[in-house]
Amino acid sequence: MIVYYLMTLLAVFYQGVSDWLWWVALVVVAAATRKIEAIKIYTLAFFAGVFFDLMMGRNLGLTAVYLLFVCALIRLLGQRFELNWQWAAGLIIISQLLWRINLI
Amino acid sequence: MSVVYIKVITLSSTSGVWYTGGVKGLRIKFLLILLAASLLLMFLDTKGILEPVRSTVQVVTAPLQYGLYRGKLAVRSYFSFLTFWKSGEARIKDLELRVAQLAAEKNRADDLERENEALRRQLGVDSLKTKKLLPAAVLGKGKRLLEINVAAKEGSTVVFLNNLVGKVTRGGRISFVMEPTDPQAKIPVIIGSVSGLVGGQFGSSMILDHVAQAEKINVNDIVVTSGEGGSYVPGLVVGKIKKITSKPTDIFAQAEVVPLIDYGNLDTVFVILD
């Protein structure tokens, strides 16, 4: 789990240069598709979101809500279907597009 | 980095096992608590209660961000020669021509300034006030925002060499600058004596709109802030017209405007103080 936290930290710092949630979301989604306890993943999503907002000067908590929803959705789909990383990446791309056109 | 992530996800998918055990209700409760906490944070943040926390975190993270951003600029400039060979020769010739044109224009501008100064003295009118500028280092450049290391007041105009860089949208220990290319930016402008409104769009260009069809605008015309409404300081260069996009039958003339500076290459900018 510590690896995911470190990767999230790295991804958030990278956002300082590129300002796109892509990398942070990808790390969190990667964690969500793993056989890791849900509580740990939700905690990671929450802290990743809060830290991202702190760094990027956004409304605090907004990204955490977004990441928590994505994680919950991925875990829900993962329990019902044989979800693979292509599915996860597809979901992230769709959610990013929705984010970009301000629907989320 | 992406390869590493993809490998991590691939491993999980090939195992084909998903965590379903544990107390389901507890997991849902935990998710709801975190969602509630996020919403509470959003509420407190809109009220400005969390500003001290934000400022404290930014004290620690700002130097790291600055280092990363400078590193990115250095790497980009190191590898810029890879793309230079394609258009380098033509660009040098174009720049030489522009230098010659600007030298002639500067000479004329100097003459006009002297004449202007003489007239002011004769009429007893004060000279124009010079703007007070506060230098700021760029900490990061996003798709839509520029992050700078000074505590600027919200709404302050940010410039670089008299070119508009943007407007401070969120102040604090670190300030965030909304660039003119941001879709939310609406800048009243003038092109010579023609007035219009520049708005950002997704990408690196802007759209000039609300220009009456009867007015004459041309490609390469310089677009300057008019200061109308008081949201932007007047007389700052927004960009130049790249392409006229409207048809003669349209109600308003429209044009694509490109900035004269590359916002992604700035390492220092200036905040105009009141």
Side-chain angles (χ1 to χ4, degrees):
Chain A
M1 204 60 206
I2 190 87
V3 176
Y4 283 109
Y5 273 99
L6 287 174
M7 278 161 74
T8 306
L9 204 65
L10 194 69
V12 173
F13 270 112
Y14 181 70
Q15 305 302 153
V17 183
S18 75
D19 185 24
W20 212 20
L21 197 52
W22 172 260
W23 293 111
V24 182
L26 206 57
V27 175
V28 174
V29 166
T33 56
R34 296 280 288 168
K35 193 182 154 189
I36 300 171
E37 209 178 314
I39 288 176
K40 286 184 181 170
I41 290 158
Y42 294 145
T43 313
L44 173 76
F46 176 74
F47 283 114
V50 169
F51 191 53
F52 180 81
D53 289 337
L54 269 175
M55 287 278 290
M56 301 309 300
R58 291 166 194 237
N59 196 349
L60 215 61
L62 196 68
T63 308
V65 172
Y66 164 72
L67 289 178
L68 282 168
F69 267 120
V70 170
C71 280
L73 188 67
I74 283 188
R75 289 195 69 82
L76 189 77
L77 288 173
Q79 284 164 13
R80 284 172 189 265
F81 308 104
E82 193 70 18
L83 193 68
N84 55 27
W85 70 269
Q86 287 100 329
W87 270 93
L91 272 172
I92 279 287
I93 289 167
I94 290 166
S95 59
Q96 280 286 315
L97 286 173
L98 291 174
W99 174 273
R100 298 292 278 181
I101 53 175
N102 295 325
L103 284 180
I104 293 182
Chain B
M1 195 190 289
S2 60
V3 176
V4 176
Y5 295 161
I6 288 165
K7 275 190 175 174
V8 169
I9 306 169
T10 314
L11 277 172
S12 72
S13 65
T14 50
S15 68
V17 186
W18 290 84
Y19 181 77
T20 52
V23 187
K24 200 177 174 181
L26 182 74
R27 277 187 271 145
I28 293 170
K29 262 186 199 168
F30 190 71
L31 177 66
L32 290 175
I33 289 169
L34 288 182
L35 280 171
S38 306
L39 293 172
L40 182 70
L41 281 176
M42 278 169 74
F43 173 74
L44 293 176
D45 197 33
T46 48
K47 297 283 170 199
I49 297 167
L50 297 173
E51 213 47 56
V53 181
R54 193 184 281 277
S55 297
T56 313
V57 173
Q58 284 170 348
V59 167
V60 181
T61 56
L64 284 166
Q65 272 183 284
Y66 182 64
L68 266 175
Y69 184 70
R70 292 303 294 257
K72 178 198 160 194
L73 289 185
V75 170
R76 191 199 269 188
S77 80
Y78 187 76
F79 287 105
S80 64
F81 74 91
L82 290 172
T83 52
F84 181 77
W85 65 273
K86 266 194 202 168
S87 57
E89 187 72 30
R91 276 166 60 193
I92 289 171
K93 275 186 184 165
D94 184 49
L95 285 172
E96 281 173 349
L97 186 70
R98 276 171 191 272
V99 166
Q101 284 172 342
L102 285 172
E105 277 179 30
K106 189 187 176 303
N107 196 28
R108 190 173 136 70
D110 286 346
D111 285 347
L112 284 171
E113 200 174 321
R114 276 193 293 273
E115 191 182 313
N116 211 355
E117 192 59 37
L119 280 168
R120 277 208 189 96
R121 269 203 303 272
Q122 205 171 347
L123 295 168
V125 180
D126 286 341
S127 293
L128 290 171
K129 280 180 188 170
T130 51
K131 299 176 192 100
K132 279 186 186 170
L133 300 174
L134 174 71
V138 178
L139 295 177
K141 158 81 179 79
K143 289 263 185 289
R144 294 156 72 165
L145 289 172
L146 202 69
E147 209 173 328
I148 56 172
N149 76 335
V150 296
K153 209 170 76 179
E154 211 168 304
S156 305
T157 307
V158 181
V159 295
F160 180 73
L161 295 177
N162 219 39
N163 279 265
L164 179 70
V165 175
K167 190 162 76 164
V168 175
T169 51
R170 185 160 197 158
R173 200 176 283 270
I174 285 174
S175 306
F176 293 87
V177 181
M178 181 174 71
E179 292 166 8
T181 50
D182 189 297
Q184 287 179 0
K186 296 279 175 268
I187 311 162
V189 292
I190 44 168
I191 312 104
S193 58
V194 179
S195 62
L197 192 73
V198 161
Q201 53 174 5
F202 288 111
S204 56
S205 63
M206 297 160 273
I207 288 287
L208 169 68
D209 202 356
H210 289 82
V211 175
Q213 275 289 5
E215 304 285 6
K216 186 89 181 144
I217 50 168
N218 299 306
V219 172
N220 285 332
D221 277 357
I222 299 294
V223 180
V224 178
T225 53
S226 67
E228 200 182 313
S231 55
Y232 288 90
V233 173
L236 303 172
V237 177
V238 178
K240 69 174 179 181
I241 295 176
K242 188 186 174 189
K243 199 168 85 180
I244 310 288
T245 53
S246 59
K247 293 174 196 148
T249 50
D250 290 341
I251 300 169
F252 290 114
Q254 266 194 352
E256 187 184 340
V257 176
V258 285
L260 298 185
I261 49 170
D262 179 3
Y263 301 124
N265 268 337
L266 299 173
D267 56 5
T268 307
V269 291
F270 298 88
V271 181
I272 298 179
L273 301 173
D274 291 338

